[in-house]
Amino acid sequence: MATLDRRSVLGLGGAVAAGVLLAPGVSLLAAPAEKTGASADRRWAMLIDTNRCTADCTACLTACRKENNVPLFGEPARDIHWIRKVTIRDKDQRRPTVTLPVLCNQCEHPPCVHVCPTEASFVRKDGIVLVDEHRCIGCRYCMIACPYKARSLVYHETKRTLESNPEVPIRSKGVVEKCTFCVHRLDNGLQPACVDACQKAGKEAMLFGDLNDPNSEIAKRVRTVATKTIRPDLGLKPRVHYQGL
Amino acid sequence: MVSYPSSFVRFLFCVLALTAGLLWTPSGIALADGPPQLELPKGKECVKPTEWMRRNHMDFLKESRELAVREGVRVKSDSLKNCATCHSSREKFCDRCHAYAGVAPNCFECHHYPK
């Protein structure tokens, strides 16, 4: 796969260069990507600390819906979720019950992209898995391929309202969509809306950054703390890491 | 003697009725006479020469979309949002010409553009 080759070719060289360019502690995120585009030297990733995520808080979910105009139809089987909260219980009750947000895991080897017949699902140079909604024909192969249930098909027409975010498109029926790591915000130097909301809510359970930059907070944490990904046995190498799972 | 004027009147009436039929178009599609009147844009010049834009804006938009979505190259001036800074009404500009040309881009099912 192209991404894999690119990464192994550029390897750590790219990462060191990025680290030198970024003054430590100034900003985790890069300058706006106007003209230059997504950089193959970056690997955007998220770290979620389940110890800090509380069952009653839904700040990330609300922020995501608002930012990305994700509609809520009120039909459990057909509702669209870019991010949802999952409760995990240990059957033997030896470990505490945890609730955690689950979103697109931005796999390094995304099965959704492999099965897409129109190349609507693709991996951007910086590793973000996206749906090009202009090409999606709504076949839903990707939804079946995704082991994280991260994708949804839009079953109904949606309307723009006064609360809609004008910066982001709404939906048309019959197109598959999912979390984009708020790519429109990333390209403008902001972090995803859910991460922002989590910080504002005082939880700081979500951390976002560039894994290829050894000085980034997330790279340090992933190096030093025991983190897990969901279903690592599938070999998809998710870039959403969990701490305390 | 009696039939002459009446058939002439009938003839006149037919001609009138026919020309009226030719001139009359349903008010919603009153396009029979020449190119549509487009609302004048706000700025001085378009993002590309007007002539070129008239013919190529669809390819231009699709290219900029390809770059923005797939490569992450977001050039502000080339985005669909930016058209609205000068062509401030979709109905009086984009739609008016599209209706005339018989094209119906579906972009605005999803994208925001002021009415």
Side-chain angles (χ1 to χ4, degrees), chain A residues 141-180:
Chain A
Y141 285 8
C142 56
M143 288 173 67
I144 299 165
C146 175
Y148 303 109
K149 281 199 192 169
R151 293 178 164 237
S152 323
L153 180 82
V154 182
Y155 276 98
H156 302 287
E157 308 277 353
T158 54
K159 284 248 149 54
R160 209 168 259 288
T161 63
L162 284 175
E163 288 102 67
S164 306
N165 179 358
E167 294 296 312
V168 175
I170 53 165
R171 302 313 128 105
S172 88
K173 202 163 125 183
V175 173
V176 170
E177 59 176 51
K178 66 164 194 77
C179 159
T180 63

Side-chain angles (χ1 to χ4, degrees), chain A residues 6 30-42 124-126 186-188, chain B residues 67-68 70-76:
Chain A
R6 243 201 140 86
E34 179 151 354
K35 305 252 182 197
T36 54
S39 161
D41 296 340
R42 291 213 169 75
R124 214 168 78 141
K125 281 198 197 117
D126 53 3
L186 282 187
D187 288 348
N188 287 310
Chain B
L67 281 172
R70 301 187 80 94
E71 307 290 332
V73 182
R74 289 171 193 268
V75 186
K76 276 240 165 63

Side-chain angles (χ1 to χ4, degrees), chain B residues 97-104:
Chain B
C97 187
H98 289 158
Y100 177 71
V103 274

Side-chain angles (χ1 to χ4, degrees), chain B residues 41-43 47 77 80-88 113-114:
Chain B
K42 278 202 193 107
V47 285
S77 61
L80 189 53
K81 276 168 224 142
N82 188 45
C83 312
T85 55
C86 299
H87 305 293
S88 48
Y113 201 104

Side-chain angles (χ1 to χ4, degrees), chain B residues 11-43:
Chain B
F11 170 73
L12 261 186
F13 184 77
C14 285
V15 169
L16 269 176
L18 283 172
T19 31
L22 278 178
L23 290 175
W24 183 84
T25 39
S27 50
I29 338 164
L31 297 170
D33 43 357
Q37 290 300 305
L38 303 176
E39 187 185 62
L40 281 180
K42 278 202 193 107

Side-chain angles (χ1 to χ4, degrees), chain A residues 28-29 44-49 52 181 191-192 194-196 198-199 203-211 216-222 225 227 239-241 243:
Chain A
L28 290 174
L29 299 184
W44 297 120
M46 196 179 278
L47 175 61
I48 296 171
D49 186 348
R52 286 165 172 264
F181 263 180
Q191 52 179 357
C194 55
V195 181
D196 251 11
C198 187
Q199 275 167 6
K203 306 279 190 216
E204 312 229 346
M206 294 171 122
L207 179 64
F208 187 84
D210 178 9
L211 273 187
S216 71
E217 189 64 28
I218 190 164
K220 284 186 202 154
R221 283 262 291 277
V222 169
V225 189
T227 64
R239 286 204 196 89
V240 176
H241 299 255
Q243 183 179 339

Side-chain angles (χ1 to χ4, degrees), chain B residues 50-108:
Chain B
T50 307
E51 263 304 308
W52 189 89
M53 273 312 259
R54 196 172 287 153
R55 292 204 161 75
N56 300 313
H57 64 278
M58 35 289 184
D59 299 331
F60 175 82
L61 280 173
K62 282 183 187 167
E63 181 168 332
S64 110
R65 153 178 115 185
E66 207 75 359
L67 281 172
V69 176
R70 301 187 80 94
E71 307 290 332
V73 182
R74 289 171 193 268
V75 186
K76 276 240 165 63
S77 61
D78 297 354
S79 80
L80 189 53
K81 276 168 224 142
N82 188 45
C83 312
T85 55
C86 299
H87 305 293
S88 48
S89 162
R90 199 173 92 211
E91 269 163 11
K92 295 194 191 113
F93 188 75
C94 318
D95 289 0
R96 203 167 273 178
C97 187
H98 289 158
Y100 177 71
V103 274
N106 68 344
C107 320
F108 308 109

